[in-house]
DNA sequence: AAGCTTATTGAGATTGAATCTCAGTCTAAG
DNA sequence: CTTAGACTGAGATTCAATCTCAATAAGCTT
């Protein structure tokens, strides 16, 4: 199954005079197989396990490329290191984070998106991405 | 001028069996004098300039206390280090960040707050804080 | 005011994520 | 096939943040 994300990456690299190397290919393929949020070290560990030989440096160098290509996005940190998730081909969503058990709830609200557009317009601001994180207790933890 | 924030800090410390030291006092007083967002190193530098002798370690140790006391809050990072702002005694607000010039626009929307409450309720989630950051171009940068 | 318990401090060491260096390697265009 | 120059990996480096621990000081108690 030819992935549209790989195509997008290839085209992005081409547009920047960058090259699609074995390492970058291994990284994006691994990212596409993942579900949920991930971090660079996790990626490095798993890729080694897979037999792929990709250095930590290449992981850290490739992540910003995937971000700039619009394929992944940084998810703000509960932890102290960066977390990412696949976005190209997925529906946009925001997050609720349970501060007790760590559960992550993904949600989407059309009304929320429209309201943000209106608020931007009121400031003459041209928004082109946003992050909304709500912290609190999930349904299981809050009784 | 007696600051309600200092009172809150004193009470918080007391409730935790912690002590109000010269260093902690110098730090909160400096924070109360600041406008806008700040980071720990900036605080350290400015306090030294003021003649106060407060170590970097004490800055980093006091910040989480101020956060737990509800006096300051972390503002998510454009940079790679943490930024904070005073919240106790100020109206809650969210941020728009201009990715070109770095301008920070603070805004508040009652409707946005209510909508978030509704979304939390729909998930059985008890939200108790949130961060909304909209990235894009400010009115000056977007023409 | 003096004594005492224990939280706190500062200087410097340490951690850990992220970035950089650079000689050897590989991609992709011609 | 050749070649220019992008890319890689190992290890060094940076930098924010945290930790260590002996010396201090906060704030009770008498
Ligand atoms: Mn997500
Ligand atoms: Mn603010
Ligand atoms: Zn939970
Ligand atoms: Zn701007």
């Amino acid at each position: 199954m030819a992935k549209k994300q790989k195509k997008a990456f290839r085209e992005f690299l081409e547009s920047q005079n960058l090259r699609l190397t074995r390492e970058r290919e291994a990284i994006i393929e691994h990212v596409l197989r993942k579900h949920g949020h991930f971090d660079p070290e996790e990626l490095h560990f798993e890729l080694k396990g897979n037999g792929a030989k990709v250095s930590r440096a290449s992981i850290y160098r490739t992540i910003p490329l995937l971000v700039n290509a619009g394929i992944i996005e940084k998810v703000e940190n509960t932890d102290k290191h960066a977390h990412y998730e696949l976005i190209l081909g997925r529906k946009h969503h925001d997050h609720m984070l349970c501060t007790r058990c760590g559960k992550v709830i993904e949600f989407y609200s059309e009304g929320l998106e429209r309201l943000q557009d209106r608020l931007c317009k009121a400031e003459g601001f041209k928004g082109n991405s946003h992050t909304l994180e709500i912290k609190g207790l999930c349904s299981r933890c809050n009784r």
Side-chain angles (χ1 to χ4, degrees), chain A residues 37 85 90 93 95 106:
Chain A
H37 300 178
E85 70 179 330
R90 296 195 63 199
H93 62 267
H95 297 109
E106 306 189 326

Side-chain angles (χ1 to χ4, degrees), chain A residues 97-103 136-142:
Chain A
L97 305 174
C98 179
T99 52
R100 177 114 68 206
C101 73
K103 182 176 180 186
L137 299 175
C138 74
S139 53
R140 182 171 305 168
C141 292
N142 79 38

Side-chain angles (χ1 to χ4, degrees), chain A residues 88-134:
Chain A
L88 183 60
R90 296 195 63 199
K91 205 172 60 144
H92 164 74
H93 62 267
D94 292 298
H95 297 109
M96 296 179 193
L97 305 174
C98 179
T99 52
R100 177 114 68 206
C101 73
K103 182 176 180 186
V104 176
I105 299 173
E106 306 189 326
F107 69 94
Y108 174 77
S109 157
E110 185 63 35
L112 186 63
E113 303 295 320
R114 272 202 302 264
L115 179 47
Q116 287 185 52
D117 286 346
R118 245 177 290 138
L119 293 166
C120 284
K121 197 158 294 174
E123 298 284 352
F125 192 86
K126 183 175 177 324
N128 68 321
S129 75
H130 71 260
T131 309
L132 170 59
E133 286 189 358
I134 304 178

